[in-house]
Amino acid sequence: MRGHITKRSKDSYTIVLELGRDPATGKRKQQWISVKGTKKEAEKRLSELLSQLDNGVFIKPGKTTLADYLNRWLKDYAKPNLSPRSFERYESIVRVNLIPSLGKTILNQLKPEHIQKYYSAKLESGLSPRTVRYHHVVLHIALKTAVKWGLLNRNAADAVDPPKPHSNEMKTWDEEEVSLFLETAKDSQYYALFHTVLFTGIRRSEVLALRWCDIDMENCQLSISRSMHQLKDRSFVFTKPKSSKSQRTIALSPSSIAVLSEHYEKQKLERMMQGIDVNDDDSVFCHPDRKPLRPNTISRAWANLAKHAGVKVIRFHDARHTHASLMLKQGIHPKVVQERLGHSSIAITLDTYSHVAPGLQESAANRFDEAISAKYNNNTDETNG
């Protein structure tokens, strides 16, 4: 028998698990676990524990610290289920923050007040609300997994309010600033890359992952099917988009096609001088030897060119915001903007670019006024005539 239940009192039972024999002494190993409640609840708990034993995730209750559990969670859950880049972030938060602060706490004794105190301490230490909120996301997922594994009855993070991130003021360029920047960037090796981002709104990770097979010159469109990230060890990984909405096709303007065509010819000439061809699977934006471009190098080049152009320096990611803001100001339907950006819902697009809303409202009111006034004046003229 792998486990059985014995009654202790009216509403208390003891589960006895058989854990095999000690290899050194040959003695039987047992784990005794107390359960308060009905016999049915005790039987359910026994079933959960046996399942943990079968799946290799059983951890002795009452003795397991949060540090022990988090290390196991990273190994058995996070690493197999997250992208390499996301795993690095999760692992760093666990190792640098969660374990030093909460690691000694017994897993099943972790309370909401412990977590809330941890958030307050991190905010006082100077971390931003957005960063602390990300800590909450990692801890919440870890504890949610513990509940699924039957190690906890509830997720203590459910009863905690994470800090609300302050909304950073979005910085974008207007049409003149975009023009000045591109004029300055024309002689840069990254001109085609920067032009593509400004004219499509795609992310840095997406533009660096583009291959020539992703660009359809004839039908004037490009397809987003993967992203590129650089890990801490400086290696590069290519991953699929996070959601089905991120995997998308984007229409290209005539100027985008012209810039990309010229970039292709330049790349083709460079490769010919090296005695190699441009293949469909080659990256559109890379070093002459086909090695990937480093994301941080691109962002620094962007900032330097902005300074030289005499326009305000914005983040490289703000090129995406610039594209969306200018489209919305031009009266492009938000649904189209959502599809180009790859947002999972139109609500995200509208919330992100709510700063554009006042101008859209005014424009809509004026256009409505013009349409009704024109009709009204026309009817009045006919009546008077």
Side-chain angles (χ1 to χ4, degrees):
M1 184 180 294
R2 299 166 58 215
H4 63 275
I5 299 172
T6 59
K7 189 172 184 179
R8 294 179 58 188
S9 62
K10 183 178 179 182
D11 58 351
S12 179
Y13 292 83
T14 296
I15 295 174
V16 182
L17 290 177
E18 299 292 341
L19 304 180
R21 294 185 178 275
D22 189 312
T25 63
K27 292 183 179 180
R28 290 170 60 193
K29 294 192 299 181
Q30 293 181 325
Q31 178 68 46
W32 291 50
I33 301 167
S34 297
V35 178
K36 290 185 178 181
T38 64
K39 183 177 181 181
K40 187 175 182 180
E41 290 172 331
E43 290 173 343
K44 180 181 178 182
R45 180 64 176 149
L46 172 61
S47 177
E48 292 172 349
L49 293 169
L50 292 176
S51 177
Q52 291 173 23
L53 285 171
D54 291 339
N55 295 321
V57 297
F58 174 74
I59 301 177
K60 291 183 179 181
K63 297 180 180 179
T64 302
T65 64
L66 181 63
D68 293 333
Y69 168 71
L70 287 174
N71 283 322
R72 186 166 189 175
W73 175 77
L74 285 172
K75 176 176 174 287
D76 294 342
Y77 175 85
K79 195 166 188 178
N81 290 287
L82 299 176
S83 69
R85 180 66 172 161
S86 293
F87 175 74
E88 274 194 346
R89 292 173 179 168
Y90 277 46
E91 190 275 336
S92 178
I93 288 173
V94 168
R95 175 175 50 82
V96 177
N97 296 281
L98 294 177
I99 287 180
S101 299
L102 298 169
K104 293 181 180 179
T105 307
I106 300 300
L107 177 62
N108 60 8
Q109 293 179 11
L110 181 68
K111 297 180 180 179
E113 61 192 75
H114 298 146
I115 302 173
Q116 198 76 63
K117 186 177 180 180
Y118 166 79
Y119 294 163
S120 298
K122 288 299 178 182
L123 289 171
E124 290 175 3
S125 72
L127 291 185
S128 69
R130 186 177 297 277
T131 299
V132 177
R133 191 176 184 87
Y134 199 61
H135 291 193
H136 170 78
V137 170
V138 175
L139 182 59
H140 188 275
I141 294 174
L143 296 179
K144 183 178 180 180
T145 306
V147 174
K148 287 184 178 179
W149 287 357
L151 303 176
L152 293 174
N153 292 325
R154 72 185 187 97
N155 187 340
D158 282 337
V160 179
D161 295 321
K164 294 181 179 180
H166 300 313
S167 56
N168 295 325
E169 184 179 350
M170 189 182 298
K171 293 182 180 180
T172 59
W173 286 336
D174 58 23
E175 294 88 338
E176 183 178 355
E177 288 171 310
V178 171
S179 179
L180 286 171
F181 174 82
L182 290 176
E183 185 63 32
T184 304
K186 266 193 172 179
D187 295 328
S188 165
Q189 60 179 313
Y190 305 122
Y191 173 68
L193 189 157
F194 293 154
H195 188 284
T196 300
V197 170
L198 283 165
F199 276 69
T200 62
I202 62 178
R203 302 174 177 90
R204 183 180 67 177
S205 60
E206 294 171 340
V207 73
L208 292 177
L210 277 180
R211 297 161 296 183
W212 285 114
C213 61
D214 297 322
I215 298 178
D216 186 342
M217 299 286 192
E218 185 176 345
N219 292 308
C220 302
Q221 60 187 24
L222 65 78
S223 300
I224 300 297
S225 59
R226 63 178 193 165
S227 298
M228 190 199 83
H229 302 277
Q230 186 174 26
L231 303 180
K232 291 179 180 178
D233 62 4
R234 296 198 172 186
S235 63
F236 297 92
V237 293
F238 293 89
T239 60
K240 291 184 177 180
K242 291 182 178 180
S243 67
S244 58
K245 294 291 185 182
S246 293
Q247 191 166 342
R248 62 201 188 278
T249 299
I250 301 172
L252 296 173
S253 66
S255 63
S256 291
I257 291 295
V259 168
L260 287 169
S261 296
E262 183 179 353
H263 179 67
Y264 178 81
E265 293 302 323
K266 286 182 179 179
Q267 192 178 97
K268 188 177 180 181
L269 182 60
E270 289 176 347
R271 299 284 171 84
M272 283 177 62
M273 295 174 67
Q274 299 175 35
I276 55 178
D277 296 324
V278 176
N279 299 319
D280 284 348
D281 285 334
D282 285 348
S283 294
V284 176
F285 305 109
C286 59
H287 289 292
D289 59 2
R290 290 193 173 117
K291 288 183 179 178
L293 296 173
R294 294 183 62 190
N296 289 342
T297 299
I298 299 302
S299 294
R300 282 195 296 270
W302 168 273
N304 289 334
L305 281 170
K307 290 178 183 177
H308 292 154
V311 298
K312 63 176 177 285
V313 179
I314 62 176
R315 301 172 306 161
F316 184 66
H317 188 71
D318 286 328
R320 176 174 167 83
H321 296 319
T322 295
H323 177 77
S325 296
L326 290 178
M327 291 196 83
L328 288 169
K329 286 178 180 178
Q330 291 161 12
I332 305 300
H333 196 286
K335 183 65 179 176
V336 175
V337 178
Q338 175 213 338
E339 292 172 349
R340 290 180 70 83
L341 298 184
H343 286 160
S344 57
S345 71
I346 195 170
I348 294 175
T349 307
L350 293 172
D351 288 344
T352 304
Y353 302 104
S354 58
H355 65 287
V356 185
L360 295 179
Q361 290 272 10
E362 183 179 348
S363 176
N366 290 337
R367 289 169 66 182
F368 184 85
D369 188 277
E370 290 169 3
I372 297 301
S373 296
K375 186 67 175 176
Y376 173 78
N377 291 335
N378 184 53
N379 289 340
T380 301
D381 291 341
E382 290 179 358
T383 301
N384 293 336

